[in-house]
């Protein structure tokens, strides 16, 4: 979380706390304590409070229905004769992935002594670890893998090993990656993606004399779409169905600029249309997609960029003017000028999703709403 995001969360928390009833205040205080222990930290709370702040800045009356225990959805907002509901879902970057970052880092910590010994023998290598399925979060399940990795790193002659659920390959770094640009971490990640496929996890250390780059991948493809659709269906069930409903999705695995990537928008469109047409989501007017911590400072004001996918046949028709904080449009050029181009490694994070012409919904341009 960058300093701008942290300051915004702190300021909004203080303001919202003062507005809540004692019941709501106790629930907010509990949410804050829970965030200290959560793997995703303050992400879910940030989404709810940031969206509420922007609705209030747009002169909507906002109540925190879930915190106040008056409904199952998060926010009820209204202005004049219009009223709408919002349910917020924060999606972990590891959701649907075979190798979770925290489990990979724990694995790397366990083999660190072996890597230090390997570096001392002046060999520049890549240790490619291919798993049959997922990386277990339980250290006890990794005993065989850890033993094999330590053995291969120590034995300069052994170049491969097939174990129960995994294959190890010890490769010459300069042979497999010598022609790739190594100008920085992004270039290295891209080079490994080209050599070993997408959705790889990379760590280790190399010098001119020696070291080892550990690359881990899984034969089973990542599928972040399934848990995202499940979260959207859960959100739809929490909306009352009595007024226009909106689902706000916060993706931890992308940056603000990546909201412009076609495959990110296609995936959101396909899942949203499935929700509207197949899973009883006709009461959902739109899904709103943003990235965690995607707060930008431009011309002295803060903005939270996002895009929205409209329901083509909503139960409650809504014009963008009715919910401007969620549905206001800006041009792609304005958006790109505000946040810059997408990061190159993000293209490797998700496989493109095909969207047929008849499935193509009305997408808003990424929406950089201004908060004063």
């Amino acid at each position: 979380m960058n300093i701008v995001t942290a300051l915004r969360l702190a300021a909004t928390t203080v303001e919202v706390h003062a507005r809540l009833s004692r019941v709501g205040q106790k629930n907010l205080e509990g949410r804050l304590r829970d965030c200290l222990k959560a793997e995703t930290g303050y992400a879910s709370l940030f989404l709810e409070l940031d969206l509420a702040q922007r609705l209030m800045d747009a002169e909507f009356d906002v109540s925190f229905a879930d915190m106040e225990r008056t409904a199952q959805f998060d926010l009820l907002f209204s202005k004049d004769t219009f009223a709408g509901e919002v349910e917020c879902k924060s999606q972990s970057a590891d959701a649907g992935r075979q190798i979770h970052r925290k489990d990979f880092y724990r694995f790397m910590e366990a083999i660190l002594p072996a890597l230090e010994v390997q570096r001392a023998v002046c060999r520049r290598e890549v240790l490619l670890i291919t798993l049959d399925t997922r990386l277990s979060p339980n250290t006890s399940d990794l005993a065989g893998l850890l033993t094999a990795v330590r053995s291969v790193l120590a034995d300069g002659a052994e170049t491969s090993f097939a174990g129960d659920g995994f294959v190890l390959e010890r490769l010459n770094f300069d042979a497999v990656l010598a022609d790739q640009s190594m100008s920085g971490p992004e270039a290295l990640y891209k080079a490994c993606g080209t050599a070993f496929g997408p959705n790889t996890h990379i760590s280790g250390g190399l010098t001119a004399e020696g070291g080892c780059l550990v690359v881990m991948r899984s034969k089973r493809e990542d599928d972040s779409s399934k848990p995202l659709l499940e979260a959207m269906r859960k959100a739809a069930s929490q909306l009352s169905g009595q007024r226009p409903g909106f689902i706000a999705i916060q993706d931890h695995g992308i940056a603000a600029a990546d909201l412009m990537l076609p495959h990110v928008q296609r995936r959101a469109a396909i899942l949203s249309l499935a929700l509207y047409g197949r899973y009883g989501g006709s009461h959902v007017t739109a899904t709103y997609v943003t990235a965690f911590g995607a707060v930008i400072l431009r011309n002295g004001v803060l903005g939270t960029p996002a895009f929205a996918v409209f329901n083509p046949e909503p139960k409650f028709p809504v014009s963008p003017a009715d919910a401007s904080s969620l549905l206001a449009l800006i041009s792609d050029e304005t958006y790109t000028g505000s946040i810059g181009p997408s990061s190159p490694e993000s293209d490797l994070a998700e496989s493109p999703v095909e969207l047929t012409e008849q499935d193509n919904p009305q997408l808003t341009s990424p929406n950089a709403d201004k908060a004063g």
Side-chain angles (χ1 to χ4, degrees):
M1 182 182 293
N2 61 40
I3 187 64
V4 174
T5 305
L7 290 173
R8 183 177 177 84
L9 175 61
T12 304
T13 300
V14 171
E15 180 178 346
V16 168
H17 188 272
R19 294 167 57 99
L20 295 171
S21 69
R22 188 56 192 145
V23 170
Q25 288 177 343
K26 287 184 178 180
N27 285 324
L28 176 55
E29 292 161 8
R31 291 275 301 276
L32 289 167
R33 286 191 293 270
D34 291 341
C35 287
L36 294 174
K37 300 175 288 184
E39 291 182 8
T40 54
Y42 290 89
S44 61
L45 186 60
F46 172 81
L47 173 61
E48 184 176 340
L49 297 186
D50 178 68
L51 190 51
Q53 181 66 64
R54 290 191 295 107
L55 287 166
M56 290 187 288
D57 289 342
E59 300 182 347
F60 285 94
D61 292 323
V62 178
S63 62
F64 293 80
D66 184 48
M67 283 190 197
E68 297 285 13
R69 296 295 186 259
T70 59
Q72 291 185 301
F73 55 84
D74 290 319
L75 305 174
L76 175 63
F77 66 102
S78 61
K79 182 192 294 185
D80 300 327
T81 60
F82 177 81
E85 305 168 359
V86 182
E87 174 60 23
C88 301
K89 295 297 181 185
S90 192
Q91 186 79 348
S92 167
D94 285 329
R97 303 193 185 282
Q98 301 304 313
I99 302 169
H100 290 192
R101 289 175 297 180
K102 62 181 179 62
D103 299 329
F104 177 67
Y105 297 150
R106 188 182 298 118
F107 173 83
M108 290 300 302
E109 184 177 358
I111 65 170
L112 182 60
L115 288 172
E116 292 175 346
V117 172
Q118 186 276 344
R119 186 180 299 116
V121 299
C122 300
R123 298 196 309 262
R124 285 166 53 89
E125 297 174 329
V126 173
L127 178 62
L128 177 62
I129 305 173
T130 305
L131 307 177
D132 287 349
T133 55
R134 66 190 293 263
L135 178 66
S136 174
N138 300 317
T139 304
S140 59
D141 296 337
L142 302 178
L145 175 60
L146 289 170
T147 299
V149 166
R150 290 165 181 148
S151 175
V152 169
L153 287 174
D155 187 346
E158 190 174 18
T159 58
S160 64
F161 179 86
D164 184 13
F166 64 88
V167 173
L168 306 181
E169 298 173 74
R170 187 169 57 80
L171 309 170
N172 183 297
F173 176 88
D174 295 301
V176 294
L177 294 171
D179 295 333
Q180 304 289 350
S181 170
M182 294 296 134
S183 59
E186 293 181 0
L188 178 60
Y189 184 90
K190 187 172 183 179
C192 288
T194 300
F196 306 116
N199 303 317
T200 54
H201 288 247
I202 304 160
S203 188
L206 284 167
T207 67
E209 290 76 29
C212 183
L213 192 68
V214 178
V215 179
M216 183 179 287
R217 63 187 181 183
S218 174
K219 292 180 181 178
R220 182 182 294 176
E221 292 185 3
D222 290 346
D223 182 10
S224 58
S225 296
K226 182 177 179 180
L228 178 55
L229 179 58
E230 290 173 351
M232 293 167 67
R233 293 180 65 183
K234 175 64 174 177
S237 73
Q238 292 174 257
L239 298 168
S240 72
Q242 302 302 310
R243 57 178 69 88
F246 300 85
I247 297 175
I249 300 293
Q250 179 176 247
D251 193 328
H252 298 209
I254 59 176
D258 301 331
L259 293 166
M260 283 290 291
L261 292 174
H263 71 263
V264 172
Q265 295 190 358
R266 287 194 194 105
R267 183 183 70 157
I270 290 171
L271 297 180
S272 296
L273 287 175
L275 175 71
Y276 304 149
R278 300 178 188 175
Y279 298 110
S282 63
H283 60 293
V284 180
T285 299
T287 54
Y288 167 96
V289 183
T290 187
F292 175 48
V295 176
I296 58 173
L297 181 62
R298 181 171 179 261
N299 298 331
V301 294
L302 293 175
T304 305
F307 66 84
V309 184
F310 288 106
N311 186 339
E313 297 180 353
K315 180 178 178 181
F316 305 100
V318 173
S319 75
D322 290 329
S324 57
S325 294
L326 295 166
L327 303 178
L329 304 180
I330 65 171
S331 69
D332 289 351
E333 291 76 15
T334 300
Y335 179 89
T336 303
S338 299
I339 48 78
S342 59
S343 53
E345 71 273 19
S346 297
D347 291 315
L348 299 173
E350 300 281 356
S351 297
V353 179
E354 293 299 326
L355 183 65
T356 63
E357 183 177 354
Q358 60 267 29
D359 288 336
N360 191 15
Q362 182 181 3
L363 283 172
T364 71
S365 297
N367 173 10
D369 294 319
K370 295 182 178 180

